[in-house]
Amino acid sequence: DSGVTQTPKHLITATGQRVTLRCSPRSGDLSVYWYQQSLDQGLQFLIQYYNGEERAKGNILERFSAQQFPDLHSELNLSSLELGDSALYFCASSVAEGTNYGYTFGSGTRLTVV
Amino acid sequence: AQSVSQHNHHVILSEAASLELGCNYSYGGTVNLFWYVQYPGQHLQLLLKYFSGDPLVKGIKGFEAEFIKSKFSFNLRKPSVQWSDTAEYFCAVNAYSGSARQLTFGSGTQLTVLP
């Protein structure tokens, strides 16, 4: 157990639907990062939050959005889902933004769009 | 923006063989370098990291990596692999992109160790 909790572990949904992925960072970590891992794209950085504020955006589609709440948990919202959105979505956390300590990753949510 | 290249997509070795996985990055400034491992069905775990100082970094499970600044490389090595090392290995660079630091990953190398 890395200390980063992601729910649900698996999600199967239909095209056009909307889902919410949840991440609780490791205790004491203020930064949360979302990554998408797919076979053809590898690990792609989506978005970063630090203490409730958006800090950096990567290759995140407009159909996707995220937020970090006052209790520091984060949610990634994926809407108008397409088959190509099927992937493993990882959340990671770190003590501070721009940290030199690397990130602690959760076990991921496997999203299957059918 | 920085990028990370891992040229070996899939490496197959027999137990006790030596391992070297290549990693090259492109970034002109100061970088922090990492190797992560992802065992089947599990999350990414940190193997080792380089920030400064001795360019030869030792990590967990007998892995080590050497930072060669002139070659923009951070290759992962292990003298004798075990079947339990079968996993996917990711090299990553933590460097500024715009105003924020980001961890950028390579495409990964799948290592299969045959018993």
Side-chain angles (χ1 to χ4, degrees), chain B residues 10-19 21 39 63 78 80-89 110-115:
Chain B
H10 194 180
V11 172
I12 302 174
L13 296 172
S14 298
E15 272 193 317
S18 64
L19 169 72
L21 301 182
Y39 297 103
F63 286 92
K78 185 171 184 178
S80 176
V81 294
Q82 301 173 311
W83 176 78
S84 58
D85 292 326
T86 294
E88 190 154 18
Y89 292 80
Q110 175 64 47
L111 172 66
T112 300
V113 179
L114 304 174

Side-chain angles (χ1 to χ4, degrees), chain B residues 25 55 66-74:
Chain B
Y25 65 93
E66 185 175 13
F67 170 53
I68 304 179
K69 190 175 181 179
S70 61
K71 295 185 177 180
F72 296 89
S73 70
F74 190 55

Side-chain angles (χ1 to χ4, degrees), chain B:
Chain B
Q2 67 269 27
S3 65
V4 183
S5 297
Q6 292 181 243
H7 306 294
N8 311 106
H9 296 294
H10 194 180
V11 172
I12 302 174
L13 296 172
S14 298
E15 272 193 317
S18 64
L19 169 72
E20 180 159 4
L21 301 182
C23 172
N24 288 92
Y25 65 93
S26 66
Y27 185 72
T30 301
V31 295
N32 299 316
L33 299 157
F34 304 82
W35 275 97
Y36 281 84
V37 60
Q38 186 178 24
Y39 297 103
Q42 296 189 26
H43 60 273
L44 280 84
Q45 301 173 44
L46 183 65
L47 264 183
L48 48 79
K49 56 184 184 260
Y50 172 80
F51 297 147
S52 63
D54 188 346
L56 186 61
V57 179
K58 294 195 183 299
I60 60 171
K61 304 186 182 187
F63 286 92
E64 64 180 30
E66 185 175 13
F67 170 53
I68 304 179
K69 190 175 181 179
S70 61
K71 295 185 177 180
F72 296 89
S73 70
F74 190 55
N75 292 353
L76 181 71
R77 300 196 292 246
K78 185 171 184 178
S80 176
V81 294
Q82 301 173 311
W83 176 78
S84 58
D85 292 326
T86 294
E88 190 154 18
Y89 292 80
F90 294 91
C91 181
V93 172
N94 191 1
Y96 277 103
S97 177
S99 60
R101 276 186 174 267
Q102 288 185 28
L103 197 59
T104 300
F105 286 86
S107 55
T109 297
Q110 175 64 47
L111 172 66
T112 300
V113 179
L114 304 174

